[in-house]
Amino acid sequence: MKEYNFLKMQKRLCKYMDEDRFVHTMGVMYTSCALAMRYGINMEKARVAGLLHDSAKCMPNSKKLKICKRENIPVTDVEMENPFLLHAKLGVYIAREKYGVEDREILQAIRYHNTGRPEMTLLEKIIYIADYIEPNRDKAPNLPQVRRLAFVDLDESMYVILRDTLSYLEEGGGSIDRTTEKAYAFYKKIHERKESENG
Ligand code: FE
Ligand code: FE
């Protein structure tokens, strides 16, 4: 695997982020590493994906839309109205173009960190979950339980996080991505299968 200069990448990233976002980013990076240790996947990949997952988050919305147009990145109606949703797709672009990341697994983990999807890879689940549980987070319900669960069962964690995220979005009237609904249906099925097996 390619050698990454983390200090250099962090210094660069820091220039494109506000302080809170950078603190969150460091939290996601180290939480991803811890989960990679727990589940025996490549820690460097988790570290790079965690570090770069929000690399496009602080870009002005107008610039997000401009780059999508220039790079032929498809923009849905929902994304047009809420350009912050584009930061996952654009994060892939930034990781590739500005940080030289070519690893498909890393890029996919950045791509799906916001919506999730059915049949996620281990790395995708780890980044998605780390984003939700990293130590600076404090608003989500059930955080202590989800933090513990993350180190016990990734699929069950996905189920709980997607469930809570969807109900939060429904209550707040936020727009819901179809991919998130599909992801929830997928992990709910796994949850129910386990329930019936355990009687
Ligand atoms: Fe994000
Ligand atoms: Fe994030």
Side-chain angles (χ1 to χ4, degrees):
M1 184 175 143
K2 184 180 158 171
E3 286 250 349
Y4 291 97
N5 183 333
F6 284 95
L7 184 60
K8 203 171 148 202
M9 289 166 92
Q10 283 169 34
K11 278 187 180 161
R12 176 168 199 169
L13 196 59
C14 191
K15 285 191 272 180
Y16 294 93
M17 281 183 170
D18 55 56
E19 219 169 63
D20 287 355
R21 184 59 44 186
F22 189 69
V23 169
H24 161 71
T25 291
M26 289 294 109
V28 174
M29 182 179 82
Y30 286 120
T31 305
S32 303
C33 287
L35 289 168
M37 293 173 200
R38 160 67 181 86
Y39 292 102
I41 67 159
N42 187 304
M43 194 188 66
E44 295 288 285
K45 287 194 190 198
R47 196 171 170 194
V48 177
L51 179 66
L52 297 178
H53 82 285
D54 273 345
S55 55
K57 184 93 172 192
C58 293
M59 187 187 283
N61 283 340
S62 57
K63 192 173 172 191
K64 285 194 185 86
L65 292 167
K66 206 174 100 188
I67 296 180
C68 285
K69 206 170 167 197
R70 192 184 71 208
E71 301 298 323
N72 292 317
I73 298 169
V75 178
T76 65
D77 291 345
V78 181
E79 287 166 340
M80 196 61 105
E81 279 164 42
N82 311 277
F84 73 90
L85 296 171
L86 288 167
H87 82 274
K89 284 181 191 172
L90 280 170
V92 173
Y93 167 78
I94 298 285
R96 203 192 291 127
E97 299 298 317
K98 307 288 176 190
Y99 296 85
V101 177
E102 278 151 29
D103 187 287
R104 252 188 72 82
E105 276 189 275
I106 297 175
L107 296 174
Q108 284 282 100
I110 296 173
R111 172 68 185 84
Y112 290 104
H113 87 266
N114 205 29
T115 58
R117 68 176 179 101
E119 293 184 89
M120 291 163 88
T121 64
L122 266 177
L123 184 63
E124 287 170 32
K125 286 185 266 199
I126 283 173
I127 300 303
Y128 184 92
I129 294 165
D131 194 25
Y132 193 86
I133 66 167
E134 65 93 1
N136 303 287
R137 292 282 198 201
D138 59 2
K139 292 196 178 57
N142 310 316
L143 264 178
Q145 294 90 320
V146 182
R147 283 184 170 130
R148 188 183 171 276
L149 187 59
F151 290 86
V152 178
D153 187 332
L154 288 178
D155 288 337
E156 188 66 11
S157 303
M158 286 304 305
Y159 163 70
V160 173
I161 296 173
L162 286 161
R163 182 197 65 196
D164 291 353
T165 300
L166 282 171
S167 71
Y168 169 82
L169 288 173
E170 272 158 23
E171 277 165 33
S175 40
I176 291 167
D177 193 294
R178 284 279 296 128
T179 319
T180 306
E181 288 175 328
K182 284 185 199 158
Y184 176 57
F186 180 84
Y187 288 101
K188 191 179 176 199
K189 224 176 241 164
I190 294 180
H191 165 78
E192 286 167 349
R193 199 187 307 143
K194 269 182 215 155
E195 290 254 284
S196 67
E197 277 166 13
N198 297 334

